C-alpha cells in the first residue's frame, strides 16, 4: 500500500507519480455543476482511465484491464476546499 498525496486547493490539479513499474500522470477536473472531481490517468501519454469520478472508497481502476492495482480515495468526499486535506489516494498493488 502507498499513500499518494493530493494537491491542495486547486480546481484542476495534475501530478505525476510512479506506482510500481508504472509512471502515471493524473489530471483532475472540478465539475462545478455536479460538485465532484473527474480523473484522467495516463501512462506514456496513453489513457488508462478517462473521466472517472473521484468518490470515497471507490476503486478508480475497477473494471479496467490493467496490472496497476487499485486506487481508492480515502477520507471525505473531495471538494476544491478539502482536496488533499481531508482525503488522500491509496494505491494497493496487484498481488
Amino acid at each position: 500500500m502507498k499513500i499518494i498525496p493530493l494537491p491542495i486547493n486547486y480546481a484542476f490539479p495534475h501530478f505525476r507519480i510512479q506506482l510500481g513499474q508504472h509512471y502515471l500522470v493524473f489530471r483532475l477536473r472540478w465539475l462545478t455543476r455536479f460538485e465532484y472531481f473527474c480523473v484522467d490517468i495516463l501512462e506514456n501519454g496513453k489513457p488508462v482511465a478517462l473521466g472517472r469520478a473521484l468518490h470515497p472508497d471507490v476503486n478508480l481502476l475497477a473494471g479496467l484491464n490493467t496490472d496497476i492495482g487499485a486506487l481508492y480515495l480515502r477520507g471525505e468526499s473531495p471538494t476544491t476546499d478539502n482536496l488533499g486535506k481531508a482525503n488522500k489516494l491509496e494505491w494497493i498493488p496487484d498481488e
Side-chain angles (χ1 to χ4, degrees):
M1 180 179 76
K2 179 177 184 173
I3 302 301
I4 303 168
L6 294 168
I8 297 173
N9 292 336
Y10 291 104
F12 300 96
H14 65 278
F15 58 94
R16 300 171 198 270
I17 191 159
Q18 180 179 356
L19 300 176
Q21 300 291 332
H22 302 276
Y23 295 90
L24 303 175
V25 174
F26 287 75
R27 295 187 308 211
L28 284 72
R29 294 182 316 280
W30 176 249
L31 301 178
T32 303
R33 181 176 183 185
F34 302 107
E35 297 186 346
Y36 69 86
F37 278 98
C38 273
V39 181
D40 295 338
I41 303 170
L42 298 105
E43 183 172 23
N44 298 322
K46 296 180 182 173
V48 173
L50 297 174
R52 292 274 172 136
L54 185 61
H55 296 298
D57 302 319
V58 176
N59 180 4
L60 281 171
L61 301 175
L64 301 177
N65 187 17
T66 92
D67 64 347
I68 297 170
L71 285 166
Y72 291 95
L73 180 75
R74 301 296 188 197
E76 296 179 15
S77 190
T79 67
T80 54
D81 292 330
N82 75 5
L83 184 68
K85 296 177 187 175
N87 42 52
K88 61 189 174 198
L89 273 180
E90 180 182 277
W91 173 63
I92 303 167
D94 274 343
E95 297 181 4

